[in-house]
Amino acid sequence: MAQYEEVKVHGYEEFCKAVSERKGKDIFAYFSGDKDDQGASWCPDCVKAEPVVRGEMAHLPEGSVFIYCQVGERPYWKDPNNEFKKTLKLTGVPTLLRYGTPQKLVEEQCFKADLVRMMFTED
């Protein structure tokens, strides 16, 4: 089983801090809508994608980092000027990306285990 570090963050500032503390590592980031007290996200696609992404995490590269980032409440996410959209150029949630590369899976692509596995296993 691959050894990786999982980090859970909430919001853009926490995400940036988590990345800067892990410079030089292979970082995968999964962006999801916020969850309520029952653990349910306002984003139905995020609810559907999370078990698929988690099911492929055994394929994460040795020594890599998986950052699970909640982007905020729906009204914040819908603001076109939020930092995730402006700075990270996210267009939708869920998004799974390999930080510092163009590799990105957005929305329905995150439902496909083979695509998720490919992202985790290809250099």
Side-chain angles (χ1 to χ4, degrees):
M1 167 113 174
Q3 293 300 305
Y4 59 86
E5 176 189 9
E6 180 172 356
V7 187
K8 291 186 170 139
V9 297
H10 183 263
Y12 185 72
E13 283 180 21
E14 284 186 21
F15 174 76
C16 292
K17 184 172 183 276
V19 167
S20 70
E21 289 170 351
R22 292 162 181 85
K23 271 196 174 22
K25 293 210 171 177
D26 199 3
I27 297 174
F28 295 86
Y30 177 72
F31 299 91
S32 174
D34 273 21
K35 291 182 174 179
D36 62 20
D37 298 338
Q38 281 76 49
S41 172
W42 54 258
C43 160
D45 285 352
C46 300
V47 172
K48 189 171 172 185
E50 185 170 347
V52 176
V53 172
R54 290 209 170 273
E56 295 304 320
M57 285 172 66
H59 298 284
L60 280 162
E62 190 82 29
S64 64
V65 179
F66 180 85
I67 300 176
Y68 180 91
C69 180
Q70 294 186 62
V71 299
E73 295 294 336
R74 195 168 188 274
Y76 169 79
W77 173 252
K78 291 296 181 191
D79 178 352
N81 293 314
N82 80 53
E83 292 98 331
F84 292 105
K85 290 181 178 175
K86 281 179 72 165
T87 312
L88 288 176
K89 307 286 186 248
L90 296 190
T91 55
V93 284
T95 292
L96 176 67
L97 57 79
R98 192 169 198 163
Y99 192 78
T101 78
Q103 291 175 283
K104 185 189 309 189
L105 299 175
V106 182
E107 295 174 343
E108 295 84 23
Q109 293 175 317
C110 294
F111 302 167
K112 297 184 169 75
D114 54 335
L115 294 180
V116 173
R117 184 177 312 132
M118 226 185 308
M119 176 172 290
F120 289 163
T121 57
E122 290 190 352
D123 288 332

